[in-house]
Amino acid sequence: MADRGDGATSDLTRKQEAFVVAYLETGNAAEAYRRAYDVDESARDSWLYVEACQMLDNPKIARRLAEVQEQAVQLAIYTRQSAMEELEAARSLAMGEAQAAAAVSAINAKIKLFGMDRPKRLEISGPGGKPIESEEVTARDRITRRLASLAAAGSAKGDTDGSE
């Protein structure tokens, strides 16, 4: 039985527990198996995939993965939610004290918290799957474009249904 680090033990061996952790880190069962069982780089991929799938099919491992994934989701949601609440409280206080710079700082932190400030690479594929266009766009750009396309679709629909 492996110590899970929280004082409890699981029915998994240390290597199985290492597989669970590596799988959660990478999202790739073959890579998790390679890490947990110290598989040589020259090992055949087909063998590695079979072993990794057998690990995922193991009821004890599947149960442990579900437990840990649920814990990770709850922790991530709580952390983001509590950060958002604290930033909103700071923004409200700054607005109440007429400190515009502090309010703007809190708003910017909220934008960063949700990743709305980071550009994303958008590739549009043409024939044969080859990229024909790519550009850097932010979440705000994507939202603006989506709203514009919805507005255009709505006005086009209004033109065709005879309403004025």
Side-chain angles (χ1 to χ4, degrees):
M1 286 201 261
D3 184 353
R4 296 194 310 208
D6 59 2
T9 57
S10 69
D11 293 333
L12 304 180
T13 66
R14 289 191 188 279
K15 288 188 177 189
Q16 288 172 328
E17 188 72 24
F19 172 82
V20 168
V21 171
Y23 182 73
L24 289 172
E25 288 174 357
T26 65
N28 183 316
E31 178 61 23
Y33 189 87
R34 187 182 303 279
R35 289 181 183 186
Y37 287 88
D38 300 319
V39 175
D40 188 67
E41 290 293 324
S42 64
R44 286 190 351 240
D45 286 342
S46 59
W47 171 81
L48 187 62
Y49 298 144
V50 168
E51 294 296 319
C53 286
Q54 288 176 349
M55 294 293 286
L56 290 175
D57 288 341
N58 181 319
K60 290 179 183 178
I61 292 174
R63 191 175 326 111
R64 180 68 178 135
L65 272 170
E67 288 173 3
V68 176
Q69 286 172 331
E70 178 63 26
Q71 290 170 357
V73 166
Q74 292 302 320
L75 181 60
I77 290 170
Y78 173 77
T79 300
R80 183 169 284 188
Q81 181 63 34
S82 65
M84 180 56 99
E85 289 169 359
E86 290 174 6
L87 287 168
E88 182 55 29
R91 188 200 62 78
S92 295
L93 179 62
M95 294 295 284
E97 298 289 324
Q99 295 182 357
V104 168
S105 179
I107 292 167
N108 283 333
K110 288 167 65 173
I111 288 169
K112 289 179 183 178
L113 178 66
F114 288 103
M116 295 174 68
D117 64 324
R118 292 184 297 244
K120 303 290 182 193
R121 186 143 193 93
L122 173 67
E123 290 192 5
I124 301 171
S125 297
K130 295 182 181 179
I132 58 173
E133 178 185 340
S134 67
E135 61 181 304
E136 296 286 327
V137 293
T138 64
R140 180 174 286 158
D141 294 334
R142 288 193 306 273
I143 292 168
T144 303
R145 288 178 185 174
R146 180 69 177 143
L147 290 173
S149 70
L150 290 173
S155 66
K157 182 180 177 190
D159 292 341
T160 60
D161 67 6
S163 63
E164 293 192 31

